[in-house]
């Protein structure tokens, strides 16, 4: 009689399914990688717990009883589900072999993402990237809440509980209307920003804050133009139309200069710029994997002359 409180073990169900499929105890034991006595004990315990004979044994044959025929399909389903569960767990143990949700700020995504995606396809072919583009504050919130796995941001992120891995440094370039007196200059002093109508991105864009910081570092007060833009591409179009000047990261120059009649000027040494890095939750326990991801990003950007890939990066945890 079946004990209704009995819960079959996975070992017993595996033994039953293997014997049923192989019609031979020795072959079934070999398939499971266990001894024949271990297999027999697991099957006997299953039958005893169920109060049902599943396998009929003889000196020459092994075959299913009617009850065994009836119970084999659900037993196989459980064994297959357990195997699928183990496979999924193995995949989740290495996030670079599954789906990874990565956020990028708008002044990074359009300019370095193509090279990064191409590089990842070669270096981490099992990785499926889900990209979220948003401003820094919202990315940090989403990251802390667990809806993102990592993000590419300007460093330092200045947020607790996060670890940062630098990826690359890049200079800021002064974008000017065509024919501007500074066009083509290569040693411009940042103090000129105090005498130029400066176009800024909307509140929330880190490039806006970085631009104002460059002005403060040069000891000048920015002459902010009335025009503001929601995207760097819009700001560049406004500059090309003569509405002011703006700072753009070097990684954006090739794209923006190709689609706009834009003049450029470079700053002298020390050149103002920014550092972009990979940021993730320190509590995730995935630092080793994210270091591999960072290395793949850095390698993918190695041929881009606009950026200086970071080598020998040391992560920084912010408590």
């Amino acid at each position: 009689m079946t004990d209704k409180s009995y819960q079959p073990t996975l070992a017993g169900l595996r033994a039953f399914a293997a014997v049923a499929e192989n019609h031979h105890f020795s072959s079934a034991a070999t398939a499971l990688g266990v001894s024949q006595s271990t297999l027999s004990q697991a099957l006997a315990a299953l039958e005893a717990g169920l109060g049902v004979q599943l396998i009929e044994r003889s000196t020459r044959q092994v075959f299913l009883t009617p009850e065994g025929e009836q119970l084999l399909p659900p037993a196989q389903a459980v064994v297959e589900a357990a195997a699928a569960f183990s496979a999924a767990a193995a995949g989740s143990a290495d996030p670079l072999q599954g789906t990874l949700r990565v956020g990028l700020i708008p002044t990074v995504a359009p300019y370095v993402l193509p090279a990064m995606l191409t590089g990842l396809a070669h270096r981490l072919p099992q990785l499926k990237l889900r990209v979220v583009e948003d401003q820094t504050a919202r990315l940090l919130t989403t990251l802390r809440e667990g809806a993102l796995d990592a993000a590419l941001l300007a460093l330092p992120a200045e947020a607790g509980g996060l670890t940062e891995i630098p990826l690359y440094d890049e200079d800021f370039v002064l974008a000017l209307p065509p024919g501007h007196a500074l066009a083509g200059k290569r040693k411009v002093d940042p103090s000129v920003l105090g005498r130029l109508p400066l176009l800024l991105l909307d509140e929330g864009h880190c490039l806006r804050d970085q631009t104002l910081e460059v002005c403060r570092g040069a000891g000048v007060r920015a002459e902010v133009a009335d025009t503001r833009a929601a995207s760097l591409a819009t700001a560049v179009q406004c500059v090309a139309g003569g509405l002011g000047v703006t700072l753009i990261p070097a990684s954006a120059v090739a794209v923006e200069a190709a689609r706009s009649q834009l003049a450029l000027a470079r700053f002298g040494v020390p050149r103002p710029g920014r550092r972009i890095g990979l940021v993730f939750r320190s509590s995730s326990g995935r630092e080793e994997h994210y270091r591999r991801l960072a290395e793949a990003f850095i390698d993918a950007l190695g041929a881009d002359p606009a950026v200086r890939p970071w080598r020998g990066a040391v992560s920084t945890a912010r408590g």
Side-chain angles (χ1 to χ4, degrees):
M1 184 173 180
T2 304
D3 181 357
K4 293 183 179 180
S5 64
Y6 172 71
Q7 294 293 325
T9 66
L10 186 56
L13 294 173
R14 281 177 174 152
F16 170 41
V19 171
E21 292 164 5
N22 288 273
H23 298 283
H24 194 276
F25 274 75
S26 179
S27 298
T30 299
L32 292 179
V34 299
S35 67
Q36 188 169 333
S37 62
T38 298
L39 178 110
S40 297
Q41 290 171 6
L43 180 58
L46 177 65
E47 290 179 319
L50 293 174
V52 173
Q53 183 178 351
L54 302 171
I55 301 292
E56 188 172 334
R57 309 155 179 85
S58 71
T59 55
R60 295 183 179 179
Q61 289 183 316
V62 174
F63 52 90
L64 293 173
T65 64
E67 294 82 2
E69 293 279 2
Q70 180 182 359
L71 292 174
L72 179 60
Q76 290 173 322
V78 171
V79 171
E80 291 170 2
F85 179 84
S86 297
S92 65
D94 186 351
L96 305 186
Q97 293 188 13
T99 300
L100 201 68
R101 304 161 299 175
V102 176
L104 294 95
I105 53 177
T107 56
V108 165
Y111 310 113
V112 302
L113 194 56
M116 285 184 171
L117 292 178
T118 300
L120 289 180
H122 291 92
R123 293 167 179 80
L124 298 171
Q126 302 301 316
L127 177 63
K128 296 179 181 177
L129 214 60
R130 279 183 50 198
V131 172
V132 177
E133 184 184 40
D134 210 335
Q135 294 180 7
T136 299
R138 287 196 289 267
L139 288 179
L140 288 173
T141 298
T142 310
L143 183 59
R144 288 195 204 93
E145 292 174 348
L148 278 181
D149 299 304
L152 268 68
L153 307 171
L155 302 184
E158 297 182 341
L162 299 180
T163 297
E164 304 171 357
I165 301 178
L167 297 180
Y168 64 89
D169 294 330
E170 63 180 332
D171 299 332
F172 289 139
V173 177
L174 182 59
L176 305 157
H180 195 279
L182 293 176
K185 300 291 186 182
R186 302 194 65 82
K187 295 183 180 180
V188 174
D189 192 294
S191 62
V192 301
L193 297 176
R195 305 190 299 271
L196 300 172
L198 193 57
L199 286 169
L200 297 176
L201 296 182
D202 283 338
E203 296 280 355
H205 286 279
C206 62
L207 184 57
R208 173 190 176 92
D209 299 331
Q210 292 157 1
T211 299
L212 293 174
E213 181 60 34
V214 170
C215 293
R216 284 191 290 270
V220 297
R221 181 178 181 135
E223 182 186 330
V224 179
D226 292 335
T227 300
R228 289 193 307 173
S231 70
L232 185 57
T234 299
V236 168
Q237 293 296 324
C238 292
V239 169
L243 300 184
V245 305
T246 196
L247 296 189
I248 62 176
S251 58
V253 168
V255 172
E256 297 301 342
R259 63 188 179 191
S260 305
Q261 288 190 341
L262 198 64
L264 302 171
R266 309 274 175 169
F267 293 102
V269 179
R271 294 182 293 271
R274 67 180 183 177
R275 176 167 296 164
I276 300 297
L278 184 70
V279 179
F280 58 93
R281 293 183 302 280
S282 303
S283 61
S284 68
R286 292 179 166 181
E287 181 166 345
E288 178 184 348
H289 301 101
Y290 290 134
R291 283 187 173 280
R292 287 171 51 207
L293 179 63
E295 289 172 3
F297 280 149
I298 290 170
D299 288 345
L301 293 171
D304 187 348
V307 302
R308 298 183 296 280
W310 186 267
R311 301 295 178 182
V314 178
S315 63
T316 302
R318 298 183 175 270

